[in-house]
Amino acid sequence: MSSYERLFDIPIGPQHPALKEPVLLNLKVDGEHVVDVGVDISYNHRGMEKAAEYRTYVQNLYLIERVCGICNIAHTLSFGMAIEGLHGKPAPDRAKVLRVLAEELERIQSHLLWLGVAAHEIGFDTLFMYVWLDREISLDLMEAFAGNRITSSYISIGGVKRDMTPEIASKMLKGMDKLEGRMAYYRKAISEERTVLKRTQGVGLLSAADVSSLSTVGPLARASGVAVDVRADDPYAAHELVPMKVVTGDGCDVFTRIMVRIDEVVESINAVRFCIGHLPSGPILQRLPRRVPAGDFLSRVEAPRGELAHFVRSDGRDKPYRYKIKTPTFSNIPSLAKMLKSTGRYVVNIADVPVILASIDPCFSCTARFERIG
């Protein structure tokens, strides 16, 4: 009997209790070992890029931020920068710093959300509940600062909608101090917890060479020792002014991805403090014409999951002629398929699949064009 005659197909999804969004992982297993995988994420297509062509640029602000609620600042920031680029008029300096502050505050809550989900996937629900309780700090601050907890509607074309006040700045600094202490606690607790170490160390291996060949982005790439970060590689908004360390790790596994994200939260906390302490005076918004000059523009930002790109083609009307979005999950699906296959001494067990899947921080609802691998 050949080795492939012993193999069984085990489908996970597209509807499964362990999945937050519809996706089909068609595993080919030999006993408990996964030897091949097919990935199909074509179950959720919302047509938002086409819908954007029938709405004005102002109306699209509220559509674009719903591509992904957790990353709404990143999406609307990239969208706003693209429109401003077509006009040739960047946002005011104060608005740029406030945009970075909002973006980093969103990164904090997104990474804490992911850390809680990762703990849940390995069965550590106590950690899940503690982390999500601390995430409320960042959400409360976002509500006080922007007006809403999740879909903040904070970014506007030409700047931002609300200014920073001394009262909110004081609350934010106190919240950052508390979160920084919690991050130190989580880093120590996770690095010493045997259950976490057993479930994450050596699991979901992705080498630096794989990162380069598969065009991996975000914390997934940085946890494999590759320092790719749009904030440092191609600074936007006020990132050229805000000190930032690109956090990397060389473990190439799920455990390293946990540590990288925890350390990135600390970097984001420092960025928020810097923005509050170095906020320039001036307006927070400039008015731009409703009709956008004809042309093409591609804008990139570093979303919590990695590089996010928005492309706009204008024909001179008040609506985009074409609109395209490339999300981080789209870039990282090939890496997911790579990590789910046993090769040589690297063995993937069926029980490792949810942990590996969660380690890329997937968002399939905002990834509408990648259909199948394998």
Coordinates of all heavy atoms in Angstrom, one line a residue, residues 67-129:
V67 N -15.0 47.3 5.9 CA -14.3 46.2 5.3 C -13.8 45.3 6.4 O -13.9 44.1 6.4 CB -13.1 46.7 4.4 CG1 -12.2 45.5 4.0 CG2 -13.6 47.4 3.2
C68 N -13.3 46.0 7.5 CA -12.9 45.2 8.7 C -13.0 46.2 9.9 O -12.3 47.2 10.0 CB -11.4 44.7 8.6 SG -10.8 43.9 10.1
G69 N -14.0 45.9 10.7 CA -14.2 46.8 11.9 C -13.0 46.9 12.8 O -12.7 48.0 13.3
I70 N -12.3 45.8 13.0 CA -11.1 45.9 13.9 C -10.0 46.8 13.3 O -9.3 47.4 14.1 CB -10.6 44.4 14.2 CG1 -11.7 43.6 14.8 CG2 -9.4 44.5 15.1 CD1 -12.2 44.1 16.1
C71 N -9.9 46.8 12.0 CA -8.9 47.6 11.3 C -9.5 48.9 10.6 O -9.0 49.3 9.6 CB -8.1 46.8 10.3 SG -7.4 45.3 11.0
N72 N -10.6 49.4 11.2 CA -11.3 50.5 10.4 C -10.4 51.7 10.3 O -10.5 52.4 9.3 CB -12.6 50.8 11.1 CG -12.4 51.5 12.5 OD1 -12.4 52.7 12.6 ND2 -12.3 50.7 13.5
I73 N -9.6 52.0 11.3 CA -8.7 53.2 11.2 C -7.7 53.0 10.0 O -7.5 53.9 9.2 CB -7.9 53.5 12.5 CG1 -8.9 53.9 13.6 CG2 -6.9 54.5 12.3 CD1 -9.5 55.2 13.5
A74 N -7.1 51.8 10.0 CA -6.1 51.5 8.9 C -6.8 51.7 7.5 O -6.2 52.2 6.6 CB -5.6 50.1 9.1
H75 N -8.0 51.1 7.4 CA -8.6 51.2 6.1 C -9.0 52.6 5.7 O -8.7 53.0 4.5 CB -9.9 50.3 6.1 CG -9.6 48.8 5.9 ND1 -9.3 48.3 4.6 CD2 -9.5 47.8 6.7 CE1 -9.1 47.0 4.8 NE2 -9.2 46.7 6.0
T76 N -9.6 53.3 6.6 CA -10.0 54.7 6.2 C -8.8 55.6 6.1 O -8.8 56.6 5.3 CB -11.0 55.3 7.3 OG1 -10.5 55.1 8.6 CG2 -12.3 54.6 7.2
L77 N -7.7 55.3 6.9 CA -6.5 56.1 6.7 C -5.9 55.9 5.3 O -5.5 56.9 4.7 CB -5.5 55.7 7.8 CG -4.1 56.4 7.7 CD1 -4.2 57.9 7.7 CD2 -3.2 55.9 8.9
S78 N -5.8 54.7 4.9 CA -5.3 54.4 3.6 C -6.2 55.0 2.5 O -5.7 55.6 1.5 CB -5.1 52.9 3.3 OG -4.5 52.6 2.1
F79 N -7.5 54.9 2.7 CA -8.4 55.5 1.7 C -8.3 57.0 1.7 O -8.2 57.6 0.6 CB -9.8 55.1 2.1 CG -10.9 55.8 1.3 CD1 -11.2 55.3 0.0 CD2 -11.6 56.9 1.8 CE1 -12.2 55.9 -0.7 CE2 -12.6 57.5 1.1 CZ -12.9 57.0 -0.2
G80 N -8.2 57.7 2.8 CA -8.1 59.1 2.9 C -6.8 59.6 2.3 O -6.8 60.6 1.5
M81 N -5.7 58.9 2.5 CA -4.4 59.2 2.0 C -4.4 59.1 0.4 O -3.8 59.9 -0.3 CB -3.3 58.4 2.6 CG -3.0 58.7 4.0 SD -2.0 57.4 4.8 CE -0.7 57.1 3.6
A82 N -5.1 58.2 -0.1 CA -5.2 58.0 -1.5 C -5.9 59.2 -2.2 O -5.5 59.7 -3.2 CB -5.9 56.7 -1.9
I83 N -7.0 59.6 -1.6 CA -7.8 60.7 -2.1 C -7.0 62.0 -2.0 O -6.9 62.8 -2.9 CB -9.2 60.9 -1.4 CG1 -9.9 59.5 -1.4 CG2 -10.0 62.0 -2.1 CD1 -10.0 58.9 -2.7
E84 N -6.3 62.2 -0.9 CA -5.5 63.4 -0.7 C -4.3 63.4 -1.6 O -3.9 64.4 -2.1 CB -5.0 63.4 0.8 CG -6.1 63.7 1.8 CD -5.8 63.1 3.2 OE1 -4.6 62.7 3.4 OE2 -6.7 63.1 4.0
G85 N -3.8 62.2 -2.0 CA -2.7 62.1 -2.9 C -3.1 62.5 -4.3 O -2.4 63.1 -5.0
L86 N -4.4 62.1 -4.7 CA -4.9 62.5 -6.0 C -5.1 64.0 -6.0 O -4.9 64.7 -7.1 CB -6.2 61.8 -6.3 CG -6.1 60.3 -6.6 CD1 -7.4 59.7 -6.6 CD2 -5.4 60.2 -8.0
H87 N -5.5 64.6 -4.9 CA -5.6 66.1 -4.9 C -4.2 66.8 -4.8 O -4.1 68.0 -5.1 CB -6.4 66.5 -3.7 CG -7.9 66.4 -3.9 ND1 -8.6 67.2 -4.7 CD2 -8.8 65.5 -3.3 CE1 -9.9 66.9 -4.7 NE2 -10.1 65.9 -3.8
G88 N -3.2 66.0 -4.4 CA -1.9 66.7 -4.1 C -1.9 67.5 -2.9 O -1.1 68.5 -2.8
K89 N -2.7 67.3 -1.9 CA -2.8 68.1 -0.7 C -2.9 67.2 0.5 O -3.9 66.7 0.9 CB -4.1 69.0 -0.8 CG -4.1 70.0 -1.9 CD -5.3 70.8 -1.9 CE -5.3 71.9 -3.0 NZ -6.6 72.7 -3.0
P90 N -1.7 67.0 1.2 CA -1.7 66.1 2.4 C -2.5 66.8 3.5 O -2.7 68.0 3.5 CB -0.2 66.0 2.7 CG 0.4 67.2 2.1 CD -0.4 67.5 0.8
A91 N -2.8 66.0 4.5 CA -3.5 66.5 5.7 C -2.6 67.4 6.5 O -1.4 67.4 6.4 CB -3.9 65.3 6.5
P92 N -3.2 68.3 7.3 CA -2.4 69.2 8.2 C -1.6 68.4 9.2 O -1.9 67.2 9.5 CB -3.5 70.0 8.9 CG -4.7 69.9 8.1 CD -4.7 68.5 7.4
D93 N -0.5 69.0 9.7 CA 0.5 68.3 10.5 C -0.2 67.8 11.8 O 0.1 66.7 12.2 CB 1.6 69.3 10.9 CG 2.5 69.6 9.7 OD1 2.5 68.8 8.7 OD2 3.3 70.6 9.7
R94 N -1.1 68.6 12.4 CA -1.7 68.1 13.6 C -2.6 66.9 13.3 O -2.6 65.9 14.1 CB -2.6 69.2 14.2 CG -3.2 68.9 15.6 CD -3.9 70.1 16.2 NE -4.5 69.7 17.5 CZ -4.0 69.9 18.7 NH1 -2.7 70.3 18.7 NH2 -4.6 69.6 19.8
A95 N -3.3 66.9 12.2 CA -4.1 65.7 11.8 C -3.2 64.5 11.6 O -3.6 63.4 11.9 CB -4.9 66.1 10.6
K96 N -2.0 64.7 11.0 CA -1.2 63.5 10.8 C -0.8 62.9 12.1 O -0.8 61.6 12.2 CB 0.1 64.0 10.0 CG -0.1 64.4 8.6 CD 1.2 64.8 7.9 CE 1.0 65.1 6.5 NZ 2.3 65.5 5.9
V97 N -0.4 63.7 13.1 CA -0.1 63.1 14.4 C -1.3 62.4 15.0 O -1.1 61.3 15.6 CB 0.5 64.2 15.3 CG1 0.9 63.6 16.7 CG2 1.8 64.7 14.7
L98 N -2.4 63.0 14.9 CA -3.6 62.4 15.5 C -4.0 61.1 14.8 O -4.5 60.2 15.4 CB -4.8 63.4 15.5 CG -4.7 64.6 16.4 CD1 -5.8 65.6 16.1 CD2 -4.8 64.1 17.9
R99 N -3.7 61.0 13.5 CA -3.9 59.8 12.7 C -3.0 58.7 13.3 O -3.5 57.6 13.4 CB -3.7 60.1 11.3 CG -4.8 60.8 10.5 CD -4.5 61.1 9.1 NE -5.6 61.5 8.3 CZ -5.7 61.7 7.0 NH1 -4.5 61.6 6.3 NH2 -6.8 62.1 6.4
V100 N -1.8 59.0 13.5 CA -0.9 58.0 14.0 C -1.3 57.5 15.4 O -1.3 56.3 15.7 CB 0.6 58.5 14.1 CG1 1.5 57.6 14.8 CG2 1.1 58.8 12.7
L101 N -1.7 58.5 16.2 CA -2.2 58.1 17.6 C -3.4 57.2 17.5 O -3.4 56.1 18.2 CB -2.6 59.4 18.3 CG -2.9 59.3 19.8 CD1 -2.6 60.6 20.5 CD2 -4.3 58.8 20.1
A102 N -4.4 57.5 16.6 CA -5.6 56.6 16.5 C -5.2 55.3 15.9 O -5.7 54.2 16.3 CB -6.6 57.3 15.6
E103 N -4.2 55.3 15.0 CA -3.8 54.0 14.3 C -3.1 53.1 15.4 O -3.4 51.9 15.4 CB -2.8 54.3 13.2 CG -2.3 53.1 12.5 CD -1.1 53.5 11.5 OE1 -0.4 54.4 11.9 OE2 -1.0 52.8 10.5
E104 N -2.3 53.7 16.2 CA -1.6 52.9 17.2 C -2.5 52.4 18.3 O -2.3 51.3 18.9 CB -0.4 53.6 17.8 CG 0.7 54.0 16.7 CD 1.2 52.7 16.0 OE1 1.4 51.7 16.6 OE2 1.3 52.8 14.8
L105 N -3.5 53.2 18.7 CA -4.5 52.8 19.7 C -5.3 51.6 19.1 O -5.6 50.7 19.9 CB -5.4 54.0 20.0 CG -6.3 53.8 21.2 CD1 -5.5 53.5 22.5 CD2 -7.2 55.1 21.4
E106 N -5.6 51.7 17.8 CA -6.3 50.6 17.2 C -5.4 49.3 17.2 O -5.9 48.2 17.4 CB -6.7 50.9 15.8 CG -7.4 49.8 15.0 CD -7.8 50.2 13.6 OE1 -6.9 50.3 12.8 OE2 -9.0 50.5 13.4
R107 N -4.1 49.5 16.9 CA -3.2 48.3 16.9 C -3.2 47.6 18.3 O -3.1 46.4 18.4 CB -1.8 48.8 16.5 CG -0.9 47.6 16.1 CD 0.5 48.2 15.7 NE 0.4 49.3 14.9 CZ 0.3 49.3 13.6 NH1 0.1 48.2 12.9 NH2 0.2 50.5 12.9
I108 N -3.2 48.4 19.3 CA -3.2 47.9 20.7 C -4.5 47.0 20.9 O -4.4 45.8 21.3 CB -3.2 49.0 21.7 CG1 -1.9 49.7 21.7 CG2 -3.5 48.4 23.1 CD1 -1.8 51.0 22.6
Q109 N -5.7 47.5 20.6 CA -6.9 46.7 20.8 C -6.9 45.5 19.9 O -7.4 44.5 20.3 CB -8.1 47.6 20.7 CG -8.4 48.2 19.3 CD -9.3 47.3 18.5 OE1 -9.8 46.2 19.0 NE2 -9.6 47.7 17.3
S110 N -6.4 45.6 18.7 CA -6.4 44.5 17.7 C -5.5 43.4 18.2 O -5.8 42.2 18.2 CB -6.0 45.0 16.3 OG -5.9 43.9 15.4
H111 N -4.3 43.8 18.7 CA -3.3 42.8 19.1 C -3.9 42.1 20.4 O -3.7 40.9 20.6 CB -2.0 43.4 19.4 CG -1.2 43.6 18.1 ND1 -1.6 43.1 16.9 CD2 0.1 44.1 18.0 CE1 -0.6 43.4 16.0 NE2 0.4 44.0 16.6
L112 N -4.5 42.9 21.3 CA -5.1 42.2 22.5 C -6.2 41.3 22.1 O -6.4 40.3 22.8 CB -5.5 43.3 23.5 CG -4.4 44.2 24.1 CD1 -5.0 45.2 25.0 CD2 -3.4 43.3 24.9
L113 N -7.1 41.7 21.2 CA -8.1 40.8 20.7 C -7.5 39.5 20.2 O -7.9 38.4 20.6 CB -8.9 41.5 19.6 CG -10.1 40.6 19.0 CD1 -11.2 41.6 18.6 CD2 -9.6 39.8 17.8
W114 N -6.4 39.6 19.4 CA -5.8 38.4 18.9 C -5.2 37.6 20.0 O -5.3 36.3 20.0 CB -4.7 38.8 17.9 CG -3.9 37.6 17.4 CD1 -4.2 36.8 16.4 CD2 -2.8 37.0 18.0 NE1 -3.3 35.7 16.3 CE2 -2.4 35.8 17.3 CE3 -2.0 37.3 19.1 CZ2 -1.3 35.0 17.6 CZ3 -0.9 36.5 19.4 CH2 -0.6 35.4 18.7
L115 N -4.5 38.2 21.0 CA -3.9 37.4 22.1 C -5.0 36.6 22.8 O -4.7 35.5 23.2 CB -3.2 38.4 23.0 CG -2.5 37.7 24.2 CD1 -1.4 36.7 23.7 CD2 -1.8 38.8 25.0
G116 N -6.1 37.2 23.0 CA -7.2 36.5 23.7 C -7.7 35.3 22.9 O -7.9 34.2 23.4
V117 N -7.9 35.6 21.6 CA -8.3 34.5 20.7 C -7.3 33.3 20.7 O -7.6 32.2 20.7 CB -8.6 35.0 19.3 CG1 -8.8 33.9 18.3 CG2 -9.8 35.9 19.3
A118 N -6.0 33.7 20.6 CA -4.9 32.7 20.6 C -5.0 31.8 21.9 O -4.8 30.6 21.8 CB -3.6 33.3 20.4
A119 N -5.2 32.5 23.0 CA -5.3 31.8 24.3 C -6.5 30.8 24.2 O -6.5 29.7 24.7 CB -5.4 32.7 25.4
H120 N -7.6 31.3 23.7 CA -8.8 30.5 23.6 C -8.6 29.2 22.7 O -9.1 28.2 23.0 CB -10.0 31.3 23.0 CG -11.2 30.6 22.7 ND1 -12.0 30.0 23.7 CD2 -11.8 30.2 21.6 CE1 -13.0 29.4 23.2 NE2 -12.9 29.5 21.9
E121 N -7.9 29.4 21.6 CA -7.6 28.3 20.7 C -6.8 27.2 21.3 O -6.9 26.0 20.9 CB -7.0 28.8 19.4 CG -7.8 29.7 18.6 CD -9.1 29.0 18.0 OE1 -9.2 27.8 18.1 OE2 -9.9 29.7 17.5
I122 N -5.9 27.5 22.3 CA -5.2 26.5 23.0 C -5.8 26.0 24.3 O -5.2 25.2 25.0 CB -3.7 26.9 23.2 CG1 -3.7 28.1 24.2 CG2 -3.0 27.3 21.9 CD1 -2.3 28.5 24.6
G123 N -7.0 26.5 24.5 CA -7.8 26.1 25.7 C -7.5 26.8 27.0 O -7.8 26.3 28.1
F124 N -6.8 28.0 26.9 CA -6.4 28.7 28.1 C -7.4 29.9 28.2 O -7.1 31.0 28.0 CB -5.0 29.3 27.9 CG -4.3 29.7 29.1 CD1 -3.0 30.0 29.2 CD2 -5.0 29.8 30.3 CE1 -2.3 30.4 30.3 CE2 -4.4 30.2 31.5 CZ -3.0 30.5 31.5
D125 N -8.6 29.5 28.6 CA -9.7 30.5 28.6 C -9.5 31.5 29.7 O -10.1 32.7 29.6 CB -11.1 29.8 28.7 CG -11.5 29.3 27.4 OD1 -10.9 29.7 26.3 OD2 -12.5 28.5 27.3
T126 N -8.8 31.2 30.8 CA -8.6 32.2 31.8 C -7.8 33.4 31.3 O -8.1 34.5 31.5 CB -7.8 31.6 33.0 OG1 -8.6 30.5 33.5 CG2 -7.6 32.6 34.1
L127 N -6.7 33.1 30.5 CA -5.9 34.1 29.9 C -6.8 34.9 28.9 O -6.6 36.1 28.8 CB -4.7 33.5 29.2 CG -3.8 34.5 28.4 CD1 -3.2 35.5 29.4 CD2 -2.7 33.7 27.7
F128 N -7.6 34.2 28.2 CA -8.5 34.9 27.2 C -9.3 35.9 27.9 O -9.4 37.1 27.4 CB -9.4 33.8 26.5 CG -10.6 34.3 25.9 CD1 -10.6 35.1 24.8 CD2 -11.9 34.0 26.4 CE1 -11.8 35.6 24.2 CE2 -13.0 34.4 25.8 CZ -13.0 35.2 24.7
M129 N -9.9 35.6 29.1 CA -10.8 36.5 29.7 C -10.0 37.7 30.3 O -10.5 38.8 30.3 CB -11.6 35.8 30.8 CG -12.5 34.8 30.3 SD -13.3 33.8 31.6 CE -14.2 32.6 30.6

